[in-house]
Amino acid sequence: MKKDDIFEFYSRLAEDNPNPETELEYGNPYQLVVAVALSAQATDVGVNKATRALFDKVKTPEQMLALGEDGLKEHIKTIGLFNQKAKNVIKAAQILVNDYDGEVPQDRDALERLPGVGRKTANVVLNCAFGQETFAVDTHIFRVGNRTGLARGKTPLAVEKKLDKVTPQPFRLGAHHWLILHGRYTCKARTPECWRCVVADLCAYKKKSPAPKRKKA
């Protein structure tokens, strides 16, 4: 995708959704770390249902340790892989208390040292909680980057680096939100809804999906 087209691409997504944000619910950086860690192989909707009651009780790593692994499991047992996720969340809380005085570090390497926190999770936290220009590449963004020609790459890291290189201001802070929402609701995996896509004419995808035919009454 050419430089001018990239600017237009983001401009249209921004016009369509001026204030993009994560669909995960959280009240502070620590809760966001927990929510994103729980969201692996799970939907944001499912995570939010589980964390509403949890986050009423737990706002800090200290409170998470007080709740304990078994208590945490009771809150998140509707989420996939909840046993392993509970172990990771408790271990991460202990590290935050021991090494960071209970505060979430504003550094990717430090975040990635927490159990259950990979590069994508770290990038989400840095972007949403601390306002850093990071690109958290999940399956949606990986698909959109490759399908549209915006940022092609064989790995999530390759797509992330390409997005970092080609995404201009003033779109860098909100870029990953626009892309994930576009992938989640319009540029879907099986059948992209090209007929209602605001950037369809800029997209390199050749097999544009036509509008579904209306059923006869």
Side-chain angles (χ1 to χ4, degrees):
M1 196 178 292
K2 296 179 181 178
K3 186 176 180 179
D4 289 346
D5 288 342
I6 291 173
F7 193 92
E8 180 65 19
F9 183 97
Y10 279 117
S11 294
R12 293 185 195 177
L13 294 181
E15 184 177 356
D16 192 53
N17 183 7
N19 299 298
E21 56 186 21
T22 178
E23 294 184 321
L24 289 171
E25 297 172 2
Y26 67 98
N28 60 37
Y30 174 64
Q31 290 182 337
L32 180 59
V33 170
V34 174
V36 183
L38 294 177
S39 71
Q41 300 181 46
T43 65
D44 288 359
V45 172
V47 172
N48 290 338
K49 286 181 179 178
T51 57
R52 283 177 192 137
L54 173 66
F55 288 164
D56 280 342
K57 294 181 178 179
V58 176
K59 296 175 174 59
T60 66
E62 292 86 352
Q63 291 173 337
M64 185 65 78
L65 293 176
L67 178 66
E69 187 175 322
D70 290 338
L72 176 57
K73 286 181 182 179
E74 283 301 306
H75 283 280
I76 66 171
K77 59 187 177 183
T78 57
I79 299 175
L81 307 175
F82 74 93
N83 283 313
Q84 185 58 50
K85 288 177 180 178
K87 286 182 171 63
N88 287 338
V89 168
I90 294 298
K91 288 179 181 177
Q94 192 67 65
I95 292 172
L96 289 173
V97 170
N98 291 347
D99 298 348
Y100 300 99
D101 295 323
E103 298 294 324
V104 176
Q106 299 184 37
D107 174 78
R108 182 188 284 116
D109 290 339
L111 285 168
E112 286 192 62
R113 284 195 286 271
L114 299 175
V117 176
R119 187 178 181 90
K120 184 195 77 172
T121 299
N123 281 337
V124 172
V125 173
L126 293 173
N127 181 273
C128 298
F130 302 121
Q132 295 187 28
E133 295 173 354
T134 57
F135 302 86
V137 178
D138 68 348
T139 55
H140 296 298
I141 296 179
F142 185 79
R143 179 175 68 254
V144 171
N146 278 285
R147 181 183 277 168
T148 64
L150 174 66
R152 287 191 168 124
K154 294 183 178 180
T155 66
L157 182 58
V159 171
E160 178 190 331
K161 289 183 176 180
K162 188 66 181 292
L163 286 172
D164 192 21
K165 182 179 179 180
V166 304
T167 302
Q169 295 291 7
F171 309 113
R172 293 178 61 80
L173 186 61
H176 100 262
H177 295 298
W178 282 310
L179 295 175
I180 191 173
L181 294 172
H182 189 63
R184 184 174 289 165
Y185 297 113
T186 302
C187 195
K188 299 176 181 179
R190 291 188 178 182
T191 306
E193 298 181 2
C194 304
W195 67 89
R196 65 178 191 88
C197 175
V198 297
V199 293
D201 60 309
L202 303 172
C203 172
Y205 186 60
K206 294 181 179 180
K207 299 178 181 179
K208 297 288 197 296
S209 302
K213 296 179 179 180
R214 293 183 179 181
K215 293 183 180 178
K216 294 182 179 180

